[in-house]
Amino acid sequence: MIILGIDPGIGTMGYGVIEKDLGGNCRAVDYGIIRTPKDENLAVRLCMLEEGINHIFNEFSPDETAMEELFFSKNITTGIAVAHARGVTLMTCSKRCGRIFEYTPNQIKQALTGYGKADKGQMQRVVASHLRLKTLPRPDDAADALGVALCHAFTSRFSSLFGIQ
């Protein structure tokens, strides 16, 4: 099974594509980011994200998509732009494969480290270890997306609890 993990963002959206075999072993297929320029208007940036996601689907044909749920911190303005990006991402993924699952940051950390408050460094080391990567995945958004994909791979037997319908 090919799983696409997404760490949503408007300026930088992380993605991670992993393959899970029948034995439950996972390997990284590809990971990276989709960037949009700050000086571009929102509509154009959203179109760029859609184009980038479609490119990933065209290249890797993921069977399922896992996405981090939106987390608001102090800056509501940034949160609104990320929510727009997330909406376009959900729509594009729904059109392309229809099997979309959402996980909170704490659920992802719990699934990968056994501790829901693991820090970024711990998460990156665990992701690299599970995927047998020689170096920590970079940038952070791509590492986070690989973590989302791994979380789904580890918990997919409970997929009815996390699916979007």
Side-chain angles (χ1 to χ4, degrees):
M1 172 189 332
I2 303 293
I3 300 168
L4 169 60
I6 295 178
D7 179 33
I10 186 67
T12 307
M13 178 178 287
Y15 72 90
V17 180
I18 67 170
E19 182 175 23
K20 178 181 173 184
D21 67 22
L22 294 175
N25 300 306
C26 297
R27 72 173 185 88
V29 176
D30 190 39
Y31 57 91
I33 57 171
I34 302 168
R35 249 191 236 282
T36 66
K38 288 181 183 181
D39 59 345
E40 194 56 79
N41 73 55
L42 180 62
V44 171
R45 292 174 87 181
L46 295 174
C47 288
M48 293 170 82
L49 291 174
E50 179 190 25
E51 184 178 298
I53 295 162
N54 276 318
H55 175 76
I56 294 165
F57 271 92
N58 290 340
E59 189 164 340
F60 302 107
S61 301
D63 302 299
E64 297 181 347
T65 302
M67 189 178 307
E68 186 172 313
E69 284 188 5
L70 188 57
F71 173 75
F72 277 102
S73 58
K74 296 177 184 176
N75 189 344
I76 189 91
T77 305
T78 302
I80 291 170
V82 173
H84 284 297
R86 199 170 175 285
V88 165
T89 303
L90 284 168
M91 178 195 70
T92 305
C93 292
S94 181
K95 286 180 177 180
R96 295 301 301 262
C97 82
R99 299 201 30 91
I100 306 168
F101 303 86
E102 297 182 285
Y103 300 92
T104 67
N106 286 350
Q107 287 170 329
I108 297 163
K109 292 173 183 180
Q110 181 75 36
L112 270 63
T113 69
Y115 179 59
K117 297 185 189 251
D119 65 35
K120 213 168 247 311
Q122 287 173 295
M123 290 296 292
Q124 289 172 337
R125 288 187 298 277
V126 167
V127 166
S129 176
H130 279 300
L131 295 173
R132 294 172 297 287
L133 301 174
K134 293 180 178 161
T135 60
L136 295 181
R138 297 273 187 229
D140 290 350
D141 302 283
D144 292 347
L146 285 170
V148 177
L150 279 171
C151 172
H152 182 65
F154 297 162
T155 61
S156 60
R157 66 177 182 243
F158 306 113
S159 62
S160 65
L161 299 174
F162 303 103
I164 298 173
Q165 298 302 332

